[in-house]
Amino acid sequence: MLRLDKFLCDVKVGSRSQVKEYLKKGMVKVNGEVVKRPEFKVDEKKDGISFQGKEILYKRYVYYMLNKPKGVVSATRDAMCRTVTDLLKDTGYDDLFPVGRLDKDTEGLLLMTNDGNLAHNLLSPKKHVEKKYYVELERTLGEEGRKALETGVDIGEERLTLPAKVEQITETSIFLIITEGKYHQVKRMMQAVENEVVYLKRVAMGGIFLDENLPQGAYRELTEDEMGIIVSYGRPE
Ligand code: URA
């Protein structure tokens, strides 16, 4: 349950003072009855709330794709650095978090949500969700290196990495598709084949592709088609 004025602000009907005015003028109905009191408690999941005769749909859970730029940390808060949640301030949702992490110097696709269940489903090691990276390397990736990545390499964990897919673009750039998400995984995999990452960008995750029209630092809501993919990983909360 939450206050009616808070609900109306949350769904962007207006600012706190505008909302107060709208209520006073009788422009808001709860379950068909005009309600003028800002402190009136509503159940946002059950009550039918309308403004100027139009029903308001309250989205408890939201799903965005962000084109993460370099220099921003994948956290909700950081004492020193700008975070990915800072980039989504305009949404008005203050409970968003990133689905997994990208390093500070990595760019590209980061899903942002307030749905803990979705994050859990996409990140669970058991689900083997595919992540696709565009990788620029310091040196040529030879046949031997490619084969090693496709078989599994030692990055200092208990087990070798799971077999990755490598799509060669040029001698020193590849697409790498992995189904794990260990700390610095791609960089460590490249070091395991005696190479170094010089540029890293995530281009896809779990069948959702980075929208190439999205400038760095920009975000947008997932489309219905993309939401269909998300739902296939398990019921959102
Ligand atoms: N692997 C890395 O090394 N860094 C990332 O940001 C993502 C995957």
Side-chain angles (χ1 to χ4, degrees):
M1 300 286 275
L2 78 169
R3 285 173 59 117
L4 181 55
D5 58 350
K6 163 104 172 67
F7 170 87
L8 295 166
C9 285
D10 281 359
V11 295
K12 313 269 181 310
V13 159
S15 66
R16 202 86 174 195
S17 55
Q18 283 171 326
V19 158
K20 217 169 151 193
E21 217 32 54
Y22 298 150
L23 285 164
K24 229 198 236 167
K25 288 185 180 156
M27 293 161 88
V28 179
K29 284 185 181 171
V30 179
N31 301 324
E33 301 284 334
V34 170
V35 176
K36 295 191 171 181
R37 285 190 300 122
E39 69 277 13
F40 187 86
K41 285 277 167 53
V42 290
D43 182 338
E44 71 278 14
K45 285 189 191 131
K46 290 201 191 117
D47 289 328
I49 302 160
S50 64
F51 173 61
Q52 290 188 302
K54 258 199 178 160
E55 183 154 6
I56 298 167
L57 287 177
Y58 182 71
K59 284 202 217 167
R60 172 66 186 89
Y61 296 111
V62 284
Y63 308 86
Y64 296 96
M65 78 160 60
L66 166 71
N67 186 358
K68 179 192 170 299
K70 260 189 194 148
V72 176
V73 293
S74 299
T76 49
R77 238 174 251 183
D78 190 280
M80 312 287 283
C81 284
R82 209 147 63 110
T83 69
V84 288
T85 44
D86 291 337
L87 297 175
L88 275 86
K89 271 219 176 97
D90 292 355
T91 61
Y93 284 84
D94 57 9
D95 53 355
L96 298 174
F97 55 84
V99 179
R101 282 166 184 270
L102 290 177
D103 296 337
K104 191 172 169 187
D105 60 353
T106 302
E107 298 177 1
L109 175 66
L110 195 58
L111 298 175
M112 301 284 299
T113 185
N114 52 3
D115 177 355
N117 210 38
L118 165 80
H120 175 79
N121 285 335
L122 277 177
L123 297 174
S124 163
K126 285 186 213 134
K127 298 253 174 167
H128 299 302
V129 169
E130 280 194 349
K131 281 145 282 207
K132 182 171 182 176
Y133 293 89
Y134 168 72
V135 193
E136 287 179 11
L137 296 162
E138 199 170 71
R139 285 176 286 282
T140 303
L141 178 75
E143 188 59 15
E144 214 176 294
R146 190 176 62 78
K147 278 203 179 130
L149 294 170
E150 287 176 343
T151 312
V153 290
D154 183 359
I155 59 167
E157 298 280 334
E158 229 170 86
R159 299 204 173 109
L160 297 186
T161 55
L162 290 173
K165 289 180 204 151
V166 180
E167 294 169 18
Q168 197 92 34
I169 306 169
T170 66
E171 283 193 349
T172 55
S173 63
I174 59 168
F175 283 120
L176 182 77
I177 300 168
I178 56 174
T179 56
E180 301 167 286
K182 302 227 162 64
Y183 181 64
H184 289 336
Q185 173 127 5
V186 176
K187 291 173 185 162
R188 287 158 72 199
M189 286 174 78
M190 295 309 142
Q191 281 161 1
V193 294
E194 276 145 33
N195 217 317
E196 283 292 335
V197 170
V198 294
Y199 174 80
L200 187 59
K201 177 179 179 180
R202 183 154 65 196
V203 293
M205 178 169 179
I208 303 215
F209 286 79
L210 177 66
D211 184 337
E212 289 295 342
N213 295 320
L214 212 52
Q216 281 191 10
Y219 64 87
R220 68 155 170 78
E221 271 197 81
L222 294 190
T223 63
E224 259 180 49
D225 285 352
E226 287 162 347
M227 276 312 299
I229 296 171
I230 290 288
V231 168
S232 73
Y233 285 99
R235 183 187 58 81
E237 224 170 60

